[in-house]
Amino acid sequence: MRLPVMSGVATGAVALSLHPLFAGGTWFWASFGAVLAVTAVGVLTGRSTLPYWVAPPAQLLALWVYLTAVFTGGEAWGRVVPTTDSAVALALLAADGFDDIQRFAVPVPPAPGIILLTCGGVGLIAVLVDFFAARVRRAALAGLPLLALFVVPASFLGDPLSWPVVVVAALGFLGLLAADGRERVGRWGRPVLVRRAPSFVAPRPADTSGLRLSGKRVGFAAVALAILLPSLLPTLEPDPLFGFGVGNGKGGTGGTISFPNPVASLRRQLTLPAEATVLTYRSSDNTPRYLRLYSLDVFDGEQWTMTKPVGRAEDRTSDKPLPPAPGLGARVPADQVTTRIAVSEDVLDLKFLPLPYPPSRVRIEGDWRPDRDTLMVFSHTDTAGGLSYEVVSAEPKPTPALLKAAGSAPEAIGERYLKLPGDLPSEIRQLAEAVTESGATPYEKAVQLQDFFTTDGGFTYTLQTQGHGGSALSDFLFRSRAGYCEQFAASMAVLARVLGIPARVAIGYTGGISASGQWEVRTRDSHAWPELYFEGVGWLRFEPTPSGPTGQASASRPSYTFPEVVTDADDEPSTSPSTGTTGADPSSGPSQAPRNPMLDRDFGGAPLAVDEGVPVAAKIAIGVALALLVLLVPALLRWETRLRRQRAYSRTAVRAETPAAPDATGVVAVRSVAGEPAAAAAWAELDDALCDYGMARQPSESPRALAVRLAREYGFDAEARASMEKIAWAVERMLFARSPGETGPLREDVRRVRRALAATVSRGRRVRAVLLPPSTLLRMRAAGARLLDGFERLGSIRLRLPARRDA
């Protein structure tokens, strides 16, 4: 049964696209078993006389038995037959899988629940594909469930799928269509009853090889164009920035809001292959600043999540200023800054506004509401993509002395922002105390934690690490000490809570790069940082992630975390960078130009490390160069073939005669030791030259006859005629002579004949022979046909069962 087998092959080929979603290969082998079980039942039911509708229930039953045996065999009868207990255990494991999907970012660990859901989903897809293709004979409709399976990784990943995966998936579906078409074409024609004498010769089926080959060529060409053309065109912007499904599902409708998993969003943004512009902004002080999207306040031992924000109707941004920032006192100096932000139209489904903290007023169209506890501004109905809005923020400028004198946090703040899981490893608590043992105040301990991550602890910045759970936290702090901003922010927030400092994790963007007074924030500026609470000042940003060339380039250390220095005669302490709005260094004097703490290397910045991306003109040039390289492939292959043949016919070779005993017919065999490669290579090169210049050679034409005809028809001179005769003589001696003797170098003879042939054709024909040689194109076409024929033979595999014998 060709169609059931090819249905399973197509499902398995498309299922390979899921591999970027998982860590390890456990999911593949489990899913392979599910597809194999469904395909086996499809083959068996297809060979019987049962109605077609029996196959899907039988396949579902087989899938259930397989999942029971693999995942809950201990609860099954004989470890195979499902029971009530095994069914309940299977359902509970599936529920755990749904919970794990919401918790983990891709690539997800091989948790049993996730593997169960994957196997069940792939098995159901296999059942649907077999039903459409093999039962109701609608192979084209089988592409719908395959497409649904193919869309899953595209929904979770920011990077596009690799082209080999796309090719394998497309070939699997084309194989299914080819198998269906072969059976349909084989049944063409209307039966005609003709009385004939009995014959023992089986009727010959209709020859459909030409039709099948044409269909395969069309399908192969379509796949090739679909893969190659997009790769040759310069890309514009990547896919929607927050439009993927990891972590969705905590919200609903009617007054609540659904939001993506911020950690998964951050990971996706940082690993995008191209840098898309997320937003641009201008500020009244022309200073870059962090823009916060989410505030994560819950740590469950495995990851940081945020409490669902609450937006009251009376707090709409269009009605009045935002609620006051929690904990910010009136005696703290603050700078009032106005920032005008424009979000890119390519940002879809973003229901939170990127804002500097703490915002005091937001002027924007639509129904946007702040969460009073975190000052996150979001909307139930509107999205931020394409919007422009104005933010007024009162940014506190505390001094280290003021932070050292901060009092204890209120009970409500401590109850929410000091929670830690009871099973937090004791080594983490010991590490927090050891790192900050010299700190006398919470502020000093916070600065020591920041220094531990940025300078003292030997941490390195890399995007190649994954995870944020309890085990991942211990591995990051005690073993690898390598990660990206999420690990740094999450770890510092945990250690701060261990020390009794209220902490949370913010996710948003760093300040970006400046272009003519306008700041541009890109996907690679996505960032996570901890916010720590100090009574009287409120929530303050800290920066544990390394910056500069070896870290996140646009990250910067807050000015209030620098060591104190003495700047006047009264020994009043201040921080080394300026606390003013211009970021000027007071020690440099009034004549010095203002220094930007976001970009200044002394303040933790590194403008040289910011990747500006590839200009559009360079992308177009690269695309054109790649297209030209692809077009030159035939010419390069023809050039390589000529060089290889020249090495063969450029040296003298002798075909030696080796006597041997007569065979049964009395003919003495002669074995060729040397000599044949030279003549054969020269003849092959001459044959390709005739093809490239559009000159025909009759298959029955002997070498000598060809030499005579070419010399007469194209008017060869004496040298060209002699060279042609020499090549023909060498070939005939190679083919027919018992002892060909010595063959001299034929390189000059081949070159002389090629020049004589080229002189008889037009310039356009000569250019085509160099750039698009027909001889090479014919070989490429033949190789493609052989590849398709091999694929056809794979689809023609049949399972033959032994015929039953009646007793």
Side-chain angles (χ1 to χ4, degrees):
M1 296 294 295
R2 182 182 296 108
L3 284 177
V5 172
M6 290 308 301
S7 298
V9 170
T11 305
V14 177
L16 289 175
S17 62
L18 300 176
H19 79 91
L21 302 180
F22 298 91
T26 306
W27 73 273
F28 172 76
W29 298 111
S31 301
F32 176 77
V35 174
L36 192 62
V38 172
T39 303
V41 173
V43 171
L44 293 177
T45 55
R47 295 186 63 88
S48 64
T49 58
L50 297 174
Y52 75 91
W53 52 266
V54 176
Q59 290 171 327
L60 291 175
L61 179 60
L63 180 61
W64 184 18
V65 172
Y66 171 79
L67 296 178
T68 300
V70 173
F71 295 98
T72 58
E75 306 294 335
W77 184 74
R79 301 193 63 85
V80 176
V81 180
T83 62
T84 303
D85 294 338
S86 68
V88 172
L90 209 62
L92 294 177
L93 190 59
D96 293 339
F98 278 110
D99 293 338
D100 290 339
I101 290 176
Q102 303 298 324
R103 293 165 50 208
F104 294 107
V106 295
V108 297
I114 297 178
I115 302 299
L116 169 62
L117 293 178
T118 304
C119 292
V122 173
L124 290 177
I125 294 295
V127 173
L128 291 175
V129 172
D130 180 86
F131 174 76
F132 285 120
R135 310 306 156 188
V136 298
R137 298 300 176 88
R138 296 292 185 270
L141 291 179
L144 294 178
L146 292 177
L147 180 62
L149 182 60
F150 196 74
V151 166
V152 172
S155 301
F156 283 84
L157 297 174
D159 297 342
L161 294 174
S162 60
W163 68 265
V165 172
V166 178
V167 169
V168 170
L171 290 179
F173 182 55
L174 287 178
L176 179 61
L177 295 179
D180 178 71
R182 181 172 182 178
E183 290 199 1
R184 290 178 180 273
V185 172
R187 294 184 175 88
W188 278 3
R190 180 178 179 181
V192 179
L193 298 178
V194 180
R195 293 186 178 182
R196 294 181 177 176
S199 174
F200 296 98
V201 180
R204 299 180 61 185
D207 184 12
T208 60
S209 58
L211 293 173
R212 293 199 305 272
L213 184 59
S214 298
K216 289 184 291 184
R217 288 172 179 169
V218 171
F220 185 80
V223 174
L225 291 176
I227 297 299
L228 293 178
L229 284 183
S231 64
L232 299 178
L233 297 177
T235 57
L236 296 178
E237 302 291 348
D239 292 336
L241 301 176
F242 287 89
F244 67 104
V246 177
N248 291 343
K250 285 194 176 184
T253 58
T256 61
I257 183 172
S258 300
F259 52 86
N261 185 321
V263 174
S265 301
L266 172 67
R267 174 67 183 177
R268 176 179 179 272
Q269 296 265 323
L270 290 175
T271 56
L272 282 175
E275 290 198 4
T277 298
V278 180
L279 58 89
T280 58
Y281 68 92
R282 295 178 182 270
S283 58
S284 58
D285 59 357
N286 195 28
T287 300
R289 49 187 36 86
Y290 281 35
L291 303 176
R292 191 189 63 167
L293 275 168
Y294 310 106
S295 178
L296 314 184
D297 60 325
V298 178
F299 180 67
D300 59 5
E302 293 187 351
Q303 67 173 352
W304 283 88
T305 57
M306 67 179 180
T307 303
K308 188 180 300 182
V310 177
R312 296 174 173 84
E314 62 271 19
D315 290 338
R316 289 188 181 95
T317 58
S318 57
D319 296 338
K320 57 183 180 181
L322 272 61
L328 180 58
R331 65 188 184 94
V332 178
D335 292 337
Q336 184 166 324
V337 180
T338 301
T339 307
R340 295 172 179 83
I341 303 174
V343 182
S344 171
E345 295 181 353
D346 295 326
V347 178
L348 302 181
D349 299 329
L350 179 57
K351 293 182 175 293
F352 288 73
L353 295 181
L355 300 172
Y357 185 85
S360 59
R361 179 128 201 176
V362 178
R363 299 181 178 91
I364 186 173
E365 296 181 357
D367 185 5
W368 296 88
R369 309 178 185 184
D371 177 74
R372 292 187 177 183
D373 295 332
T374 62
L375 294 185
M376 293 185 295
V377 178
F378 60 95
S379 175
H380 301 113
T381 57
D382 300 320
T383 58
L387 291 183
S388 297
Y389 51 95
E390 184 179 273
V391 185
V392 178
S393 56
E395 299 179 0
K397 298 295 180 180
T399 62
L402 181 62
L403 292 174
K404 291 178 182 179
S408 301
E411 182 178 354
I413 295 292
E415 182 178 350
R416 178 175 178 179
Y417 295 102
L418 289 176
K419 282 186 179 180
L420 288 171
D423 58 349
L424 187 71
S426 59
E427 58 183 3
I428 295 179
R429 300 180 183 274
Q430 295 172 1
L431 176 65
E433 295 172 357
V435 169
T436 61
E437 60 181 353
S438 61
T441 64
Y443 164 73
E444 293 173 335
K445 294 179 183 292
V447 173
Q448 289 173 349
L449 286 180
Q450 179 177 265
D451 293 340
F452 170 67
F453 287 104
T454 56
T455 57
D456 303 335
F459 289 85
T460 57
Y461 180 86
T462 176
L463 292 176
Q464 303 303 316
T465 57
Q466 301 273 346
H468 39 264
S471 60
L473 176 63
S474 297
D475 180 74
F476 173 72
L477 289 174
F478 299 103
R479 286 175 286 278
S480 69
R481 294 204 170 182
Y484 64 104
C485 57
E486 187 266 319
Q487 275 102 7
F488 286 97
S491 300
M492 181 171 174
V494 171
L495 296 182
R497 288 192 177 188
V498 169
L499 299 172
I501 307 173
R504 63 191 185 189
V505 174
I507 290 182
Y509 300 97
T510 58
I513 58 177
S514 176
S516 302
Q518 177 174 276
W519 295 89
E520 186 178 79
V521 175
R522 301 184 179 183
T523 53
R524 291 294 176 90
D525 295 318
S526 301
H527 194 50
W529 61 91
E531 292 180 337
L532 276 57
Y533 182 87
F534 298 91
E535 180 61 20
V537 180
W539 292 98
L540 293 179
R541 173 179 71 88
F542 283 77
E543 187 52 87
T545 303
S547 59
T550 59
Q552 184 150 346
S554 53
S556 66
R557 181 175 178 174
S559 60
Y560 45 80
T561 64
F562 281 89
E564 294 178 332
V565 295
V566 177
T567 59
D568 52 38
D570 295 332
D571 293 339
E572 294 182 0
S574 65
T575 55
S576 58
S578 169
T579 58
T581 59
T582 62
D585 186 354
S587 63
S588 61
S591 62
Q592 298 293 329
R595 300 178 64 185
N596 191 324
M598 187 73 74
L599 301 179
D600 197 307
R601 187 181 300 275
D602 294 337
F603 298 161
L608 298 179
V610 178
D611 185 6
E612 297 290 347
V614 181
V616 176
K619 293 181 179 179
I620 295 176
I622 293 174
V624 172
L626 292 176
L628 291 177
L629 183 61
V630 171
L631 293 177
L632 289 177
V633 167
L636 295 175
L637 293 177
R638 180 72 177 94
W639 178 70
E640 188 276 334
T641 303
R642 286 186 61 184
L643 291 180
R644 177 166 43 83
R645 289 171 178 170
Q646 283 181 5
R647 288 192 295 269
Y649 58 67
S650 295
R651 55 181 179 266
T652 301
V654 180
R655 178 181 176 185
E657 177 182 341
T658 303
D663 59 10
T665 61
V667 178
V668 177
V670 178
R671 183 174 70 250
S672 173
V673 177
E676 285 189 13
W683 185 251
E685 180 62 25
L686 180 60
D687 194 44
D688 282 355
L690 292 174
C691 179
D692 293 341
Y693 295 137
M695 300 173 182
R697 181 177 71 84
Q698 300 299 327
S700 60
E701 202 170 21
S702 66
R704 185 175 303 180
L706 177 64
V708 173
R709 183 177 65 83
L710 291 179
R712 182 182 66 252
E713 184 175 347
Y714 297 105
F716 284 1
D717 56 20
E719 291 184 353
R721 182 182 292 106
S723 296
M724 186 67 211
E725 291 176 354
K726 181 179 179 181
I727 296 173
W729 175 85
V731 174
E732 287 190 346
R733 297 282 294 178
M734 179 192 69
L735 294 175
F736 308 115
R738 180 183 181 88
S739 179
E742 181 178 336
T743 300
L746 300 175
R747 179 173 182 176
E748 292 299 327
D749 299 290
V750 174
R751 183 186 306 178
R752 193 175 292 117
V753 173
R754 281 183 55 89
R755 288 178 178 176
L757 294 175
T760 62
V761 298
S762 63
R763 179 179 297 179
R765 173 69 70 174
R766 292 196 298 269
V767 173
R768 179 189 176 189
V770 174
L771 298 180
L772 293 173
S775 58
T776 303
L777 295 178
L778 289 176
R779 286 193 179 88
M780 295 174 65
R781 178 181 177 184
R786 288 193 297 270
L787 177 63
L788 294 175
D789 289 339
F791 187 73
E792 175 69 19
R793 285 192 292 271
L794 178 64
S796 301
I797 296 177
R798 295 185 179 182
L799 299 177
R800 299 183 181 275
L801 299 178
R804 295 183 301 177
R805 296 183 178 180
D806 297 333

